[in-house]
Amino acid sequence: MRFTKFLAFIAAAATLAVGCGGDDNGDEGKKPTGSATLKADVLSVEVNNPITFTVTAEDGTDITAEATIFDKTHDFVEVSNPYTPTEDGKYEFYAVAGSAITATIEVTVLPSIPALPADANEASTAFKHRILLVDHTGNTCGYCPKMMLALKEVSETGDYHSKYHEAMSHSYASSDPATSSAANAVSGYYGVTDYPTLTYNFAYTTTSSYNAEHIKQQIDAQWRESADAGIAAATSLASSSVIVNAEVKAAVENEYRVTAWLLEDGIVANQTNATEEWMNTHDNAIRQAVTTNPISGMDLGTIKAGERSSLAMSLEITGTKWNRDNLKVMVIASAKGANGKFEVVNVVVCPVGESVAYDYK
């Protein structure tokens, strides 16, 4: 038996997404015509470093030389190409070339980007594999301690805990001190209404009962001896955000995406129907996500086997009670499946201010 959640949460808007759309300030002249496309050579960049733009006509002709680039974020000011931002933040740009007006694109400008660790085995693509396990829970959920006990049993059984990384989506009640808009959006993506529920990766809607043997069966069904891609990451703490530099190295050629979630450990909140004291301290709580639309994150494009692609991202610290000393970052890589959906291919967790190298078999 499970509790059913009757109150629907509104999913959080994406904090970072490369999107398109017209100007919503009512100026019809600035709405995109669809006859030209603006691209930047980076999705994220360190402050005082250049962004180079390319504008392409509908027939594929390069019309960059004819185009004027505008910074929509800062009063629609015209900018040079290349353009070097001197302040960090999220920038929206669009271009005008004759009667053609492009959709807007976003570039995130970061105060600094932490350096990735060295690749200790550049010739290898034999990566250890971990799946993404999300427990949809809440501190006032009366049946959730049953799932907590089951997960504890799984983590202490053999080498199971080396096969997954878990995130706790506290979305059962708004009164939960471990909840967040990002957690609500994650649970909303999976369509969770029954608590507790356990979900796996992005493409699967399979859920687990709070039975340790069933959870192990689900993990075994999705875990692989070798991952399709590996992840290296580095993180740093800024004044009001955590900066993440993530790199994905492919073992199998595919279209890849990457995203990052900010997790917090050590949140003390009395758990309803707790049977053991440790249940009143909540770890791995989802606090923030780079984007939840799409849940799989930012496009890296096609990566050939043995090659890599990196992206720097920012996770805003918006909660006044979030303990910065207890924050860490989960980086999730996904690849396009045969059904067109992006499926998680690997997951790493990186403490803030540290880095994780590729984890080879």
Side-chain angles (χ1 to χ4, degrees):
M1 183 177 181
R2 294 177 178 166
F3 278 122
T4 299
K5 180 183 181 185
F6 294 100
L7 176 62
F9 285 96
I10 299 174
T15 58
L16 175 63
V18 177
C20 61
D23 174 24
D24 57 6
N25 68 353
D27 186 346
E28 295 294 327
K30 290 188 175 65
K31 289 190 175 179
T33 62
S35 56
T37 303
L38 173 66
K39 290 186 178 180
D41 63 337
V42 289
L43 296 178
S44 56
V45 68
E46 199 169 273
V47 70
N48 294 320
N49 281 266
I51 305 167
T52 300
F53 301 99
T54 303
V55 183
T56 308
E58 197 171 14
D59 63 1
T61 304
D62 189 328
I63 56 173
T64 307
E66 309 165 28
T68 304
I69 314 297
F70 293 92
D71 178 358
K72 178 181 175 181
T73 306
H74 299 92
D75 297 324
F76 300 90
V77 65
E78 180 181 339
V79 299
S80 61
N81 187 15
Y83 171 63
T84 301
T86 58
E87 296 180 0
D88 61 291
K90 183 173 67 176
Y91 288 67
E92 287 187 313
F93 299 99
Y94 68 94
V96 177
S99 62
I101 302 172
T102 72
T104 60
I105 62 171
E106 285 184 3
V107 177
T108 299
V109 180
L110 303 169
S112 63
I113 298 176
L116 291 164
D119 188 345
N121 194 351
E122 292 193 6
S124 178
T125 56
F127 304 108
K128 292 181 181 178
H129 179 222
R130 289 178 175 84
I131 67 173
L132 171 65
L133 181 156
V134 181
D135 181 13
H136 306 268
T137 187
N139 78 308
T140 56
C141 163
Y143 284 90
C144 288
K146 293 180 180 292
M147 185 70 82
M148 297 170 79
L149 284 172
L151 286 173
K152 186 174 186 291
E153 181 179 337
V154 171
S155 70
E156 295 173 350
T157 302
D159 64 348
Y160 270 96
H161 206 248
S162 68
K163 296 180 178 181
Y164 65 90
H165 282 302
E166 69 264 37
M168 305 303 173
S169 184
H170 285 253
S171 54
Y172 179 74
S174 59
S175 60
D176 189 337
T179 194
S180 67
S181 58
N184 293 333
V186 170
S187 293
Y189 165 79
Y190 288 104
V192 173
T193 56
D194 291 344
Y195 289 78
T197 287
L198 208 61
T199 55
Y200 305 86
N201 293 341
F202 291 148
Y204 293 96
T205 56
T206 304
T207 60
S208 284
S209 65
Y210 32 79
N211 178 285
E213 289 305 314
H214 185 243
I215 295 171
K216 286 187 281 187
Q217 290 170 12
Q218 295 296 317
I219 293 171
D220 289 339
Q222 297 172 56
W223 183 79
R224 302 174 185 175
E225 283 288 341
S226 186
D228 285 357
I231 305 169
T235 66
S236 62
L237 182 64
S239 59
S240 59
S241 63
V242 174
I243 309 302
V244 186
N245 191 7
E247 184 175 79
V248 175
K249 182 179 177 183
V252 177
E253 181 175 345
N254 206 337
E255 293 178 45
Y256 287 91
R257 286 178 179 170
V258 67
T259 192
W261 295 354
L262 190 63
L263 309 182
E264 184 178 348
D265 290 338
I267 302 171
V268 177
N270 289 333
Q271 176 66 50
T272 299
N273 292 341
T275 57
E276 300 181 31
E277 182 59 34
W278 62 266
M279 293 181 175
N280 297 314
T281 301
H282 306 275
D283 296 330
N284 302 308
I286 299 172
R287 287 305 204 183
Q288 188 61 276
V290 166
T291 179
T292 54
N293 184 25
I295 194 76
S296 48
M298 316 297 291
D299 285 311
L300 295 175
T302 299
I303 308 177
K304 295 181 179 179
E307 295 185 354
R308 63 193 78 202
S309 180
S310 63
L311 180 67
M313 300 167 280
S314 177
L315 291 158
E316 291 183 81
I317 301 173
T318 57
T320 58
K321 295 184 179 180
W322 298 0
N323 188 335
R324 298 185 180 208
D325 293 335
N326 291 347
L327 296 176
K328 58 188 177 184
V329 175
M330 173 180 278
V331 180
I332 307 164
S334 56
K336 195 171 187 177
N339 59 2
K341 294 182 178 181
F342 279 79
E343 175 186 342
V344 175
V345 294
N346 220 341
V347 184
V348 300
V349 173
C350 183
V352 174
E354 299 183 23
S355 63
V356 291
Y358 290 111
D359 194 5
Y360 293 104
K361 294 173 57 181

